[in-house]
Amino acid sequence: ELYPQVYITSDLFWFGVEGNLASWQRFGNWINELNSGMSDLPNSERFIIKEKVKGIDNELDQIKTIYTYLQESTRYINISIDEGGLKTYPASYVVKNRYGDCKALTNYMKSALEVVGISSFYTLVNAGSVIEKISVDFPGQHFNHVILAVPVKTDTLWLDCTSDYAFNYLGTFTQNRHVLLTNGMNSKILKTPALKKEDVLVDRTIEYRTIQDKTVLTESISAKGNMYEAFSSISSNYNPKQVKEIIEDHFLFSSFSLDSFKITTTESDSIFLKLYQSSESFNKHFGNEIMWEINPLTLPNLEKPIKRQYPIRINYPRYWKENHTFLLPTQKEATFIPENQKIASKFGEYTIEFENHHDKIIVKRMFFLKGGEYELQEYPEFYTFMMDVINRDNQNKILIK
């Protein structure tokens, strides 16, 4: 994206059927013609779909019911034989095999919605955890994935038919992208919604209890966004032993070991974790005082502005809220608590607040990093903000007498 480029393509081509790249409308029309006749749901499957939505009058609930049936009855397998890289397999193929790639599963879902009279549109997107922009002024095959756009009364639903995530959840894989909605000569470039602050919230509640010299930590996490996606995938595809190893590698507080855990999934775009940890070295003794240190945030290593050569892109926002409660042992009192801090910038915000009660100390921490793109000349300001957060966050030490 940062260098001059030359794109070369042919206006006219033949791939399955004759195509034309003179405009997005003609390219979208070629996709539709290539996939013509593929909505061949068997009568037995049409009957099942009608039975699934029987008695459901709300259109949104009908769409959700059919999407849930798709998720429960099919699985994703990539198919790229012959024209399979761009042409869908028929809906009957998915019914027979109960699997398909993104094109086949999207075509199946589109066909299933047609059974109950709901229109939808086969939509091309360049997917991935990193946003790679496409050239909207140069029609062509810039895409690697297919999703389904379903217009409803006041909005558009975006359904990834290969996903096990919540209904109408695109997530980090396809959010904030230019897409080609195919509708014959009415095909057009649109953009999927960007993840907002509330879509990526990770809310953590941690309680520390000291039993003799051992510290027991109980942590409850409500996770959305990237962490929701990660744990949805982990809990579905790994056995309990493997999940435990992943948590131990990436989510334990320093000096703590994992005693047990529980993961709870819901139908919404969030997941809940319960972690039980313990440590015999969390209490650091200095004479007649004990030091407690709050684990710092996990933030990226940044090069100094003098070494930075390119603009910066934050693909989606990060938003963490934490509530740490330290239960004071009998006959113990705090002798030092850091001051409250707040750091605000156009790039985000960091706050930390300390409350000293007679039997506990409560620490509330929040970090928000905006998504967006910033020019190279803005990087020194971004670097300063991040380093201010890192430096302040490494000073959260409490002394107990």
Side-chain angles (χ1 to χ4, degrees), residues 115-135:
V115 171
V116 295
I118 297 174
S119 297
S120 60
F121 300 95
Y122 188 91
T123 301
L124 310 184
V125 58
N126 188 13
S129 58
V130 175
I131 296 175
E132 296 182 6
K133 291 186 174 181
I134 68 167
S135 177

Side-chain angles (χ1 to χ4, degrees), residues 129 169 172 195 199-200 202 224-231 316 318:
S129 58
Y169 179 79
T172 59
L195 286 170
D199 298 326
V200 296
V202 176
K224 305 183 83 171
N226 184 51
M227 194 168 176
Y228 156 70
E229 296 170 19
F231 272 98
Y316 50 88
R318 274 73 162 178

Side-chain angles (χ1 to χ4, degrees), residues 81-128:
I81 301 170
D82 298 327
E83 298 164 349
L86 293 174
K87 182 177 180 178
T88 183
Y89 276 69
S92 58
Y93 178 92
V94 174
V95 173
K96 177 183 176 181
N97 296 287
R98 288 299 163 188
Y99 61 70
D101 60 11
C102 61
K103 301 178 294 296
L105 296 179
T106 300
N107 176 65
Y108 169 87
M109 183 67 190
K110 184 177 187 299
S111 305
L113 291 177
E114 288 172 0
V115 171
V116 295
I118 297 174
S119 297
S120 60
F121 300 95
Y122 188 91
T123 301
L124 310 184
V125 58
N126 188 13

Side-chain angles (χ1 to χ4, degrees), residues 102 124-132 134 142-147 160 170 172-175 177-179:
C102 61
L124 310 184
V125 58
N126 188 13
S129 58
V130 175
I131 296 175
E132 296 182 6
I134 68 167
H142 304 302
F143 310 99
N144 60 9
H145 191 47
V146 177
I147 57 178
D160 188 333
L170 286 181
T172 59
F173 195 60
T174 47
Q175 61 94 34
R177 316 295 166 96
H178 281 106
V179 298

Side-chain angles (χ1 to χ4, degrees), residues 232-288:
S232 292
S233 177
I234 289 167
S235 60
S236 299
N237 298 305
Y238 294 86
N239 63 45
K241 181 182 177 182
Q242 292 171 319
V243 174
K244 184 175 185 290
E245 290 173 352
I246 291 170
I247 293 174
E248 289 174 335
D249 288 342
H250 298 285
F251 293 95
L252 286 196
F253 282 7
S254 178
S255 81
F256 280 85
S257 59
L258 182 65
D259 297 327
S260 63
F261 68 93
K262 181 180 180 181
I263 299 176
T264 305
T265 57
T266 68
E267 291 187 0
S268 65
D269 57 348
S270 59
I271 197 164
F272 299 93
L273 290 80
K274 194 89 170 182
L275 306 181
Y276 299 91
Q277 307 176 40
S278 60
S279 172
E280 294 183 354
S281 58
F282 179 70
N283 293 338
K284 296 180 175 63
H285 294 267
F286 297 92
N288 66 340

Side-chain angles (χ1 to χ4, degrees), residues 158-184:
W158 300 95
L159 305 181
D160 188 333
C161 299
T162 67
S163 167
D164 292 326
Y165 300 145
F167 174 68
N168 194 33
Y169 179 79
L170 286 181
T172 59
F173 195 60
T174 47
Q175 61 94 34
N176 199 22
R177 316 295 166 96
H178 281 106
V179 298
L180 176 62
L181 183 147
T182 66
N183 184 21

Side-chain angles (χ1 to χ4, degrees), residues 24-25 27-29 32 180-189:
W24 286 116
Q25 289 75 27
F27 181 60
N29 187 59
N32 287 161
L180 176 62
L181 183 147
T182 66
N183 184 21
M185 290 303 293
N186 293 315
S187 300
K188 54 187 175 181
I189 292 287

